[in-house]
Amino acid sequence: MLSEVAHAVDTRVVVQGKRGPEVATVRGEAAGPDPQARYGSVLRAATADDLTHWDALHRQGEDLKWLLRARARERGLPVKIVAVEFTLDESLVTVSYSADERIELGGLISELRAHTRARVNFAAVGPREQAQMIGTLGACGRENCSSNHLQEFAPVSIRMARDQQLPLNPEKLSGPCGRLLCCLQYEHTQYLDLLADLPRKNARVCHTESGACGKVVKLNPLAGTVDVHTEGGMLTGVPAAQLTRAPEQAGGKSKRAEP
């Protein structure tokens, strides 16, 4: 039976996930019209027995993780065992692993049979999933978003960094997983709205008050200004509302330049 009670943030609850019943922590209000269809449903608040049993299963999973890592080394298998996780009812144990090539892991099932009767499922995971399971600190100094609240990984592109006028430095734009920061997509739509009110980079513009003309060399979407390199050799910041397109471009159509 599904729980219809609203649970407070940080409450431990039992959820019916994709793999089976699990213990989870409430992070906030559900988003979307039918979040249960995507992430599972809340069955009830977790009891003291649930939490004790869940902690015991977590410790057992950690022990089995290190056991499988040792057995994989003995067998010469080029694989990294990332996590071993039980469902609350112990009907399923999921072994998450990372490997550069397709390998046969059936031999490790016998190692698990000596410790559990649960059905075994092997799941290959990528760098982002590894960071989510292991837990790391982000560049902001807080727990990485994937381990804290993200339910799925949205696509992130380098264009998002360009639109936010960020330096295209891989070390600055990559998270602990080595992939582009998930948080780049949080404010991307807002930046697109702000950029729509700014002239294109490299466009020729004129200041409505002074009449000075020049080329846009930098956009400042949050401030609503652009840096203009004038024909007189000056570099000045000007509010976008005080700029007009230079006469020679007034009738032409041009493709938006990269911000």
Side-chain angles (χ1 to χ4, degrees):
M1 180 177 180
L2 302 184
S3 173
E4 299 181 356
V5 178
H7 299 280
V9 174
D10 292 331
T11 299
R12 304 295 296 279
V13 294
V14 176
V15 299
Q16 182 63 37
K18 296 179 180 179
R19 296 181 297 191
E22 300 175 309
V23 173
T25 302
V26 177
R27 295 296 189 183
E29 294 183 3
D34 189 12
Q36 293 183 359
R38 300 175 64 188
Y39 310 128
S41 55
V42 177
L43 300 177
R44 53 183 168 79
T47 65
D49 289 341
D50 291 329
L51 298 178
T52 299
H53 186 47
W54 187 248
D55 289 342
L57 290 175
H58 177 74
R59 291 192 297 271
Q60 183 180 2
E62 283 293 297
D63 291 340
L64 290 175
K65 178 183 72 175
W66 291 105
L67 172 65
L68 293 181
R69 285 184 176 182
R71 296 296 182 263
R73 285 195 300 269
E74 293 174 359
R75 297 167 182 260
L77 296 176
V79 62
K80 176 182 178 181
I81 305 299
V82 179
V84 177
E85 300 171 303
F86 287 88
T87 54
L88 185 61
D89 60 2
E90 298 185 67
S91 63
L92 176 69
V93 57
T94 299
V95 180
S96 300
Y97 69 94
S98 172
D100 294 332
E101 58 188 42
R102 184 179 179 85
I103 58 176
E104 178 57 49
L105 297 175
L108 296 180
I109 294 181
S110 59
E111 302 292 344
L112 292 171
R113 293 300 185 202
H115 301 275
T116 178
R117 296 182 179 180
R119 181 167 57 89
V120 179
N121 174 51
F122 286 97
V125 296
R128 286 184 169 177
E129 289 81 6
Q130 291 185 55
Q132 181 183 50
M133 293 176 179
I134 296 173
T136 59
L137 291 179
C140 59
R142 303 180 64 179
E143 182 183 10
N144 59 307
C145 297
S146 59
S147 298
N148 189 325
H149 62 274
L150 287 185
Q151 298 292 329
E152 58 186 12
F153 295 107
V156 183
S157 69
I158 197 67
R159 179 58 188 263
M160 295 179 178
R162 291 195 183 103
D163 289 341
Q164 296 175 42
Q165 314 303 300
L166 297 174
L168 302 183
N169 183 336
E171 294 183 359
K172 299 289 186 180
L173 298 177
S174 300
C177 61
R179 298 296 188 267
L180 289 173
L181 291 165
C182 291
C183 54
L184 286 175
Q185 52 93 16
Y186 291 171
E187 300 175 346
H188 186 231
T189 54
Q190 287 85 346
Y191 272 92
L192 291 180
D193 292 339
L194 294 172
L195 288 169
D197 297 327
L198 300 181
R200 299 173 177 86
K201 189 176 180 180
N202 296 324
R204 286 187 52 79
V205 294
C206 293
H207 191 236
T208 56
E209 296 182 4
S210 66
C213 297
K215 183 174 71 173
V216 176
V217 295
K218 183 179 180 182
L219 308 178
N220 306 300
L222 293 180
T225 65
V226 298
D227 291 351
V228 178
H229 188 268
T230 67
E231 295 172 346
M234 299 291 292
L235 183 64
T236 180
V238 184
Q242 299 178 11
L243 295 173
T244 59
R245 184 177 297 182
E248 58 268 31
Q249 290 191 348
K253 295 183 179 180
S254 60
K255 185 178 179 180
R256 183 179 184 91
E258 291 291 340

PDB file of all heavy atoms in Angstrom, residues 203-216 226 228-236 238-239 242-248:
ATOM      1  N   ALA A 203      29.638  41.675 -33.165  1.00  0.00           N
ATOM      2  CA  ALA A 203      28.767  42.584 -33.907  1.00  0.00           C
ATOM      3  C   ALA A 203      29.260  44.029 -33.762  1.00  0.00           C
ATOM      4  O   ALA A 203      29.860  44.391 -32.745  1.00  0.00           O
ATOM      5  CB  ALA A 203      27.336  42.468 -33.385  1.00  0.00           C
ATOM      6  N   ARG A 204      29.006  44.835 -34.778  1.00  0.00           N
ATOM      7  CA  ARG A 204      29.347  46.263 -34.716  1.00  0.00           C
ATOM      8  C   ARG A 204      28.143  47.028 -34.188  1.00  0.00           C
ATOM      9  O   ARG A 204      27.019  46.872 -34.686  1.00  0.00           O
ATOM     10  CB  ARG A 204      29.760  46.788 -36.082  1.00  0.00           C
ATOM     11  CG  ARG A 204      31.153  46.328 -36.509  1.00  0.00           C
ATOM     12  CD  ARG A 204      31.597  47.002 -37.800  1.00  0.00           C
ATOM     13  NE  ARG A 204      31.478  48.453 -37.733  1.00  0.00           N
ATOM     14  CZ  ARG A 204      32.357  49.262 -37.117  1.00  0.00           C
ATOM     15  NH1 ARG A 204      33.423  48.745 -36.498  1.00  0.00           N
ATOM     16  NH2 ARG A 204      32.175  50.572 -37.103  1.00  0.00           N
ATOM     17  N   VAL A 205      28.373  47.841 -33.160  1.00  0.00           N
ATOM     18  CA  VAL A 205      27.299  48.567 -32.498  1.00  0.00           C
ATOM     19  C   VAL A 205      27.702  50.027 -32.302  1.00  0.00           C
ATOM     20  O   VAL A 205      28.886  50.369 -32.392  1.00  0.00           O
ATOM     21  CB  VAL A 205      26.968  47.934 -31.127  1.00  0.00           C
ATOM     22  CG1 VAL A 205      26.381  46.544 -31.292  1.00  0.00           C
ATOM     23  CG2 VAL A 205      28.214  47.888 -30.243  1.00  0.00           C
ATOM     24  N   CYS A 206      26.707  50.846 -32.017  1.00  0.00           N
ATOM     25  CA  CYS A 206      26.948  52.267 -31.745  1.00  0.00           C
ATOM     26  C   CYS A 206      26.249  52.660 -30.447  1.00  0.00           C
ATOM     27  O   CYS A 206      25.151  52.164 -30.147  1.00  0.00           O
ATOM     28  CB  CYS A 206      26.436  53.143 -32.890  1.00  0.00           C
ATOM     29  SG  CYS A 206      27.357  52.938 -34.434  1.00  0.00           S
ATOM     30  N   HIS A 207      26.892  53.546 -29.697  1.00  0.00           N
ATOM     31  CA  HIS A 207      26.325  54.042 -28.450  1.00  0.00           C
ATOM     32  C   HIS A 207      25.336  55.152 -28.773  1.00  0.00           C
ATOM     33  O   HIS A 207      25.656  56.102 -29.491  1.00  0.00           O
ATOM     34  CB  HIS A 207      27.454  54.564 -27.548  1.00  0.00           C
ATOM     35  CG  HIS A 207      27.003  54.850 -26.152  1.00  0.00           C
ATOM     36  ND1 HIS A 207      27.161  56.076 -25.562  1.00  0.00           N
ATOM     37  CD2 HIS A 207      26.379  54.066 -25.233  1.00  0.00           C
ATOM     38  CE1 HIS A 207      26.669  56.031 -24.339  1.00  0.00           C
ATOM     39  NE2 HIS A 207      26.192  54.828 -24.124  1.00  0.00           N
ATOM     40  N   THR A 208      24.110  55.025 -28.243  1.00  0.00           N
ATOM     41  CA  THR A 208      23.062  55.982 -28.596  1.00  0.00           C
ATOM     42  C   THR A 208      23.335  57.387 -28.095  1.00  0.00           C
ATOM     43  O   THR A 208      22.858  58.363 -28.683  1.00  0.00           O
ATOM     44  CB  THR A 208      21.713  55.498 -28.032  1.00  0.00           C
ATOM     45  OG1 THR A 208      21.841  55.309 -26.616  1.00  0.00           O
ATOM     46  CG2 THR A 208      21.283  54.194 -28.681  1.00  0.00           C
ATOM     47  N   GLU A 209      24.106  57.544 -27.008  1.00  0.00           N
ATOM     48  CA  GLU A 209      24.357  58.870 -26.445  1.00  0.00           C
ATOM     49  C   GLU A 209      25.594  59.528 -27.048  1.00  0.00           C
ATOM     50  O   GLU A 209      25.550  60.676 -27.491  1.00  0.00           O
ATOM     51  CB  GLU A 209      24.497  58.768 -24.928  1.00  0.00           C
ATOM     52  CG  GLU A 209      23.222  58.296 -24.224  1.00  0.00           C
ATOM     53  CD  GLU A 209      23.383  58.245 -22.720  1.00  0.00           C
ATOM     54  OE1 GLU A 209      24.457  58.642 -22.218  1.00  0.00           O
ATOM     55  OE2 GLU A 209      22.430  57.825 -22.036  1.00  0.00           O
ATOM     56  N   SER A 210      26.715  58.816 -27.098  1.00  0.00           N
ATOM     57  CA  SER A 210      27.954  59.417 -27.600  1.00  0.00           C
ATOM     58  C   SER A 210      28.117  59.268 -29.101  1.00  0.00           C
ATOM     59  O   SER A 210      28.879  60.013 -29.728  1.00  0.00           O
ATOM     60  CB  SER A 210      29.161  58.784 -26.907  1.00  0.00           C
ATOM     61  OG  SER A 210      29.279  57.406 -27.261  1.00  0.00           O
ATOM     62  N   GLY A 211      27.433  58.289 -29.683  1.00  0.00           N
ATOM     63  CA  GLY A 211      27.572  58.054 -31.115  1.00  0.00           C
ATOM     64  C   GLY A 211      28.792  57.228 -31.470  1.00  0.00           C
ATOM     65  O   GLY A 211      29.004  56.916 -32.646  1.00  0.00           O
ATOM     66  N   ALA A 212      29.612  56.859 -30.482  1.00  0.00           N
ATOM     67  CA  ALA A 212      30.812  56.070 -30.747  1.00  0.00           C
ATOM     68  C   ALA A 212      30.420  54.660 -31.175  1.00  0.00           C
ATOM     69  O   ALA A 212      29.495  54.061 -30.614  1.00  0.00           O
ATOM     70  CB  ALA A 212      31.698  56.025 -29.513  1.00  0.00           C
ATOM     71  N   CYS A 213      31.130  54.154 -32.162  1.00  0.00           N
ATOM     72  CA  CYS A 213      30.851  52.811 -32.669  1.00  0.00           C
ATOM     73  C   CYS A 213      32.053  51.906 -32.434  1.00  0.00           C
ATOM     74  O   CYS A 213      33.184  52.368 -32.252  1.00  0.00           O
ATOM     75  CB  CYS A 213      30.527  52.860 -34.162  1.00  0.00           C
ATOM     76  SG  CYS A 213      29.040  53.809 -34.565  1.00  0.00           S
ATOM     77  N   GLY A 214      31.811  50.614 -32.427  1.00  0.00           N
ATOM     78  CA  GLY A 214      32.877  49.654 -32.224  1.00  0.00           C
ATOM     79  C   GLY A 214      32.372  48.230 -32.324  1.00  0.00           C
ATOM     80  O   GLY A 214      31.232  47.994 -32.732  1.00  0.00           O
ATOM     81  N   LYS A 215      33.209  47.286 -31.930  1.00  0.00           N
ATOM     82  CA  LYS A 215      32.886  45.862 -32.021  1.00  0.00           C
ATOM     83  C   LYS A 215      32.699  45.273 -30.630  1.00  0.00           C
ATOM     84  O   LYS A 215      33.487  45.541 -29.721  1.00  0.00           O
ATOM     85  CB  LYS A 215      34.004  45.128 -32.762  1.00  0.00           C
ATOM     86  CG  LYS A 215      33.715  43.636 -32.976  1.00  0.00           C
ATOM     87  CD  LYS A 215      34.772  42.966 -33.838  1.00  0.00           C
ATOM     88  CE  LYS A 215      36.076  42.824 -33.093  1.00  0.00           C
ATOM     89  NZ  LYS A 215      37.063  42.022 -33.859  1.00  0.00           N
ATOM     90  N   VAL A 216      31.670  44.466 -30.475  1.00  0.00           N
ATOM     91  CA  VAL A 216      31.415  43.774 -29.207  1.00  0.00           C
ATOM     92  C   VAL A 216      32.457  42.664 -29.037  1.00  0.00           C
ATOM     93  O   VAL A 216      32.586  41.783 -29.889  1.00  0.00           O
ATOM     94  CB  VAL A 216      29.996  43.169 -29.181  1.00  0.00           C
ATOM     95  CG1 VAL A 216      29.784  42.365 -27.903  1.00  0.00           C
ATOM     96  CG2 VAL A 216      28.950  44.269 -29.304  1.00  0.00           C
ATOM     97  N   VAL A 226      27.790  44.880 -22.254  1.00  0.00           N
ATOM     98  CA  VAL A 226      28.767  44.269 -23.162  1.00  0.00           C
ATOM     99  C   VAL A 226      30.016  45.148 -23.168  1.00  0.00           C
ATOM    100  O   VAL A 226      29.957  46.343 -22.901  1.00  0.00           O
ATOM    101  CB  VAL A 226      28.210  44.138 -24.597  1.00  0.00           C
ATOM    102  CG1 VAL A 226      26.995  43.227 -24.630  1.00  0.00           C
ATOM    103  CG2 VAL A 226      27.877  45.499 -25.180  1.00  0.00           C
ATOM    104  N   VAL A 228      32.778  46.832 -25.389  1.00  0.00           N
ATOM    105  CA  VAL A 228      32.898  47.281 -26.779  1.00  0.00           C
ATOM    106  C   VAL A 228      34.302  47.850 -27.008  1.00  0.00           C
ATOM    107  O   VAL A 228      34.777  48.683 -26.237  1.00  0.00           O
ATOM    108  CB  VAL A 228      31.841  48.352 -27.114  1.00  0.00           C
ATOM    109  CG1 VAL A 228      32.011  48.833 -28.556  1.00  0.00           C
ATOM    110  CG2 VAL A 228      30.437  47.796 -26.895  1.00  0.00           C
ATOM    111  N   HIS A 229      34.944  47.372 -28.066  1.00  0.00           N
ATOM    112  CA  HIS A 229      36.229  47.925 -28.493  1.00  0.00           C
ATOM    113  C   HIS A 229      35.921  48.966 -29.558  1.00  0.00           C
ATOM    114  O   HIS A 229      35.517  48.633 -30.676  1.00  0.00           O
ATOM    115  CB  HIS A 229      37.134  46.824 -29.052  1.00  0.00           C
ATOM    116  CG  HIS A 229      38.522  47.285 -29.335  1.00  0.00           C
ATOM    117  ND1 HIS A 229      38.907  47.764 -30.561  1.00  0.00           N
ATOM    118  CD2 HIS A 229      39.611  47.371 -28.530  1.00  0.00           C
ATOM    119  CE1 HIS A 229      40.181  48.105 -30.522  1.00  0.00           C
ATOM    120  NE2 HIS A 229      40.631  47.882 -29.294  1.00  0.00           N
ATOM    121  N   THR A 230      36.047  50.243 -29.198  1.00  0.00           N
ATOM    122  CA  THR A 230      35.642  51.329 -30.080  1.00  0.00           C
ATOM    123  C   THR A 230      36.652  51.557 -31.188  1.00  0.00           C
ATOM    124  O   THR A 230      37.791  51.081 -31.142  1.00  0.00           O
ATOM    125  CB  THR A 230      35.462  52.631 -29.289  1.00  0.00           C
ATOM    126  OG1 THR A 230      36.744  53.064 -28.809  1.00  0.00           O
ATOM    127  CG2 THR A 230      34.510  52.419 -28.118  1.00  0.00           C
ATOM    128  N   GLU A 231      36.210  52.303 -32.204  1.00  0.00           N
ATOM    129  CA  GLU A 231      37.090  52.627 -33.314  1.00  0.00           C
ATOM    130  C   GLU A 231      38.257  53.494 -32.878  1.00  0.00           C
ATOM    131  O   GLU A 231      39.290  53.551 -33.542  1.00  0.00           O
ATOM    132  CB  GLU A 231      36.285  53.331 -34.411  1.00  0.00           C
ATOM    133  CG  GLU A 231      35.221  52.424 -35.029  1.00  0.00           C
ATOM    134  CD  GLU A 231      34.313  53.178 -35.975  1.00  0.00           C
ATOM    135  OE1 GLU A 231      34.344  54.428 -35.941  1.00  0.00           O
ATOM    136  OE2 GLU A 231      33.568  52.528 -36.742  1.00  0.00           O
ATOM    137  N   GLY A 232      38.104  54.175 -31.747  1.00  0.00           N
ATOM    138  CA  GLY A 232      39.188  54.995 -31.214  1.00  0.00           C
ATOM    139  C   GLY A 232      40.179  54.209 -30.388  1.00  0.00           C
ATOM    140  O   GLY A 232      41.113  54.793 -29.810  1.00  0.00           O
ATOM    141  N   GLY A 233      39.998  52.877 -30.280  1.00  0.00           N
ATOM    142  CA  GLY A 233      40.941  52.045 -29.546  1.00  0.00           C
ATOM    143  C   GLY A 233      40.628  51.894 -28.075  1.00  0.00           C
ATOM    144  O   GLY A 233      41.436  51.347 -27.326  1.00  0.00           O
ATOM    145  N   MET A 234      39.459  52.358 -27.632  1.00  0.00           N
ATOM    146  CA  MET A 234      39.077  52.253 -26.236  1.00  0.00           C
ATOM    147  C   MET A 234      38.248  50.979 -26.002  1.00  0.00           C
ATOM    148  O   MET A 234      37.508  50.534 -26.875  1.00  0.00           O
ATOM    149  CB  MET A 234      38.261  53.472 -25.813  1.00  0.00           C
ATOM    150  CG  MET A 234      38.999  54.791 -25.941  1.00  0.00           C
ATOM    151  SD  MET A 234      40.349  54.929 -24.745  1.00  0.00           S
ATOM    152  CE  MET A 234      39.422  55.025 -23.220  1.00  0.00           C
ATOM    153  N   LEU A 235      38.396  50.406 -24.810  1.00  0.00           N
ATOM    154  CA  LEU A 235      37.590  49.256 -24.391  1.00  0.00           C
ATOM    155  C   LEU A 235      36.680  49.722 -23.274  1.00  0.00           C
ATOM    156  O   LEU A 235      37.146  50.154 -22.210  1.00  0.00           O
ATOM    157  CB  LEU A 235      38.467  48.106 -23.916  1.00  0.00           C
ATOM    158  CG  LEU A 235      37.732  46.816 -23.513  1.00  0.00           C
ATOM    159  CD1 LEU A 235      37.016  46.210 -24.716  1.00  0.00           C
ATOM    160  CD2 LEU A 235      38.698  45.807 -22.909  1.00  0.00           C
ATOM    161  N   THR A 236      35.381  49.666 -23.485  1.00  0.00           N
ATOM    162  CA  THR A 236      34.457  50.213 -22.505  1.00  0.00           C
ATOM    163  C   THR A 236      33.266  49.287 -22.317  1.00  0.00           C
ATOM    164  O   THR A 236      32.838  48.599 -23.256  1.00  0.00           O
ATOM    165  CB  THR A 236      33.963  51.609 -22.954  1.00  0.00           C
ATOM    166  OG1 THR A 236      33.052  52.129 -21.990  1.00  0.00           O
ATOM    167  CG2 THR A 236      33.275  51.542 -24.306  1.00  0.00           C
ATOM    168  N   VAL A 238      29.337  48.881 -21.694  1.00  0.00           N
ATOM    169  CA  VAL A 238      28.154  49.683 -21.999  1.00  0.00           C
ATOM    170  C   VAL A 238      26.901  48.853 -21.762  1.00  0.00           C
ATOM    171  O   VAL A 238      26.846  47.686 -22.169  1.00  0.00           O
ATOM    172  CB  VAL A 238      28.177  50.170 -23.467  1.00  0.00           C
ATOM    173  CG1 VAL A 238      26.988  51.081 -23.747  1.00  0.00           C
ATOM    174  CG2 VAL A 238      29.482  50.868 -23.783  1.00  0.00           C
ATOM    175  N   PRO A 239      25.865  49.424 -21.105  1.00  0.00           N
ATOM    176  CA  PRO A 239      24.589  48.705 -20.985  1.00  0.00           C
ATOM    177  C   PRO A 239      24.016  48.387 -22.356  1.00  0.00           C
ATOM    178  O   PRO A 239      24.037  49.234 -23.254  1.00  0.00           O
ATOM    179  CB  PRO A 239      23.699  49.685 -20.216  1.00  0.00           C
ATOM    180  CG  PRO A 239      24.659  50.551 -19.468  1.00  0.00           C
ATOM    181  CD  PRO A 239      25.846  50.707 -20.369  1.00  0.00           C
ATOM    182  N   GLN A 242      21.659  50.764 -24.246  1.00  0.00           N
ATOM    183  CA  GLN A 242      22.165  52.013 -24.839  1.00  0.00           C
ATOM    184  C   GLN A 242      22.878  51.779 -26.162  1.00  0.00           C
ATOM    185  O   GLN A 242      23.544  52.677 -26.672  1.00  0.00           O
ATOM    186  CB  GLN A 242      23.117  52.696 -23.860  1.00  0.00           C
ATOM    187  CG  GLN A 242      22.476  53.094 -22.538  1.00  0.00           C
ATOM    188  CD  GLN A 242      23.462  53.731 -21.572  1.00  0.00           C
ATOM    189  OE1 GLN A 242      24.582  54.072 -21.941  1.00  0.00           O
ATOM    190  NE2 GLN A 242      23.038  53.900 -20.319  1.00  0.00           N
ATOM    191  N   LEU A 243      22.729  50.602 -26.730  1.00  0.00           N
ATOM    192  CA  LEU A 243      23.418  50.282 -27.968  1.00  0.00           C
ATOM    193  C   LEU A 243      22.428  50.022 -29.100  1.00  0.00           C
ATOM    194  O   LEU A 243      21.330  49.508 -28.892  1.00  0.00           O
ATOM    195  CB  LEU A 243      24.303  49.044 -27.782  1.00  0.00           C
ATOM    196  CG  LEU A 243      25.484  49.175 -26.819  1.00  0.00           C
ATOM    197  CD1 LEU A 243      26.140  47.818 -26.617  1.00  0.00           C
ATOM    198  CD2 LEU A 243      26.490  50.192 -27.330  1.00  0.00           C
ATOM    199  N   THR A 244      22.845  50.394 -30.295  1.00  0.00           N
ATOM    200  CA  THR A 244      22.099  50.064 -31.508  1.00  0.00           C
ATOM    201  C   THR A 244      23.056  49.432 -32.503  1.00  0.00           C
ATOM    202  O   THR A 244      24.272  49.606 -32.409  1.00  0.00           O
ATOM    203  CB  THR A 244      21.460  51.309 -32.142  1.00  0.00           C
ATOM    204  OG1 THR A 244      22.494  52.251 -32.468  1.00  0.00           O
ATOM    205  CG2 THR A 244      20.464  51.958 -31.193  1.00  0.00           C
ATOM    206  N   ARG A 245      22.514  48.701 -33.448  1.00  0.00           N
ATOM    207  CA  ARG A 245      23.355  48.080 -34.453  1.00  0.00           C
ATOM    208  C   ARG A 245      23.934  49.150 -35.370  1.00  0.00           C
ATOM    209  O   ARG A 245      23.258  50.131 -35.711  1.00  0.00           O
ATOM    210  CB  ARG A 245      22.537  47.080 -35.271  1.00  0.00           C
ATOM    211  CG  ARG A 245      23.348  46.285 -36.293  1.00  0.00           C
ATOM    212  CD  ARG A 245      22.510  45.265 -37.024  1.00  0.00           C
ATOM    213  NE  ARG A 245      21.979  44.266 -36.105  1.00  0.00           N
ATOM    214  CZ  ARG A 245      21.244  43.232 -36.506  1.00  0.00           C
ATOM    215  NH1 ARG A 245      20.948  43.089 -37.785  1.00  0.00           N
ATOM    216  NH2 ARG A 245      20.798  42.359 -35.620  1.00  0.00           N
ATOM    217  N   ALA A 246      25.191  48.966 -35.739  1.00  0.00           N
ATOM    218  CA  ALA A 246      25.853  49.920 -36.626  1.00  0.00           C
ATOM    219  C   ALA A 246      25.119  49.976 -37.961  1.00  0.00           C
ATOM    220  O   ALA A 246      24.544  48.974 -38.404  1.00  0.00           O
ATOM    221  CB  ALA A 246      27.308  49.536 -36.829  1.00  0.00           C
ATOM    222  N   PRO A 247      25.111  51.140 -38.627  1.00  0.00           N
ATOM    223  CA  PRO A 247      24.346  51.317 -39.869  1.00  0.00           C
ATOM    224  C   PRO A 247      24.624  50.260 -40.919  1.00  0.00           C
ATOM    225  O   PRO A 247      23.708  49.789 -41.592  1.00  0.00           O
ATOM    226  CB  PRO A 247      24.778  52.704 -40.343  1.00  0.00           C
ATOM    227  CG  PRO A 247      25.174  53.415 -39.101  1.00  0.00           C
ATOM    228  CD  PRO A 247      25.785  52.387 -38.220  1.00  0.00           C
ATOM    229  N   GLU A 248      25.882  49.830 -41.093  1.00  0.00           N
ATOM    230  CA  GLU A 248      26.201  48.892 -42.160  1.00  0.00           C
ATOM    231  C   GLU A 248      25.614  47.506 -41.916  1.00  0.00           C
ATOM    232  O   GLU A 248      25.559  46.685 -42.817  1.00  0.00           O
ATOM    233  CB  GLU A 248      27.720  48.763 -42.350  1.00  0.00           C
ATOM    234  CG  GLU A 248      28.482  48.304 -41.113  1.00  0.00           C
ATOM    235  CD  GLU A 248      28.981  49.466 -40.285  1.00  0.00           C
ATOM    236  OE1 GLU A 248      28.300  50.518 -40.298  1.00  0.00           O
ATOM    237  OE2 GLU A 248      30.042  49.333 -39.641  1.00  0.00           O
TER     238      GLU A 248
END
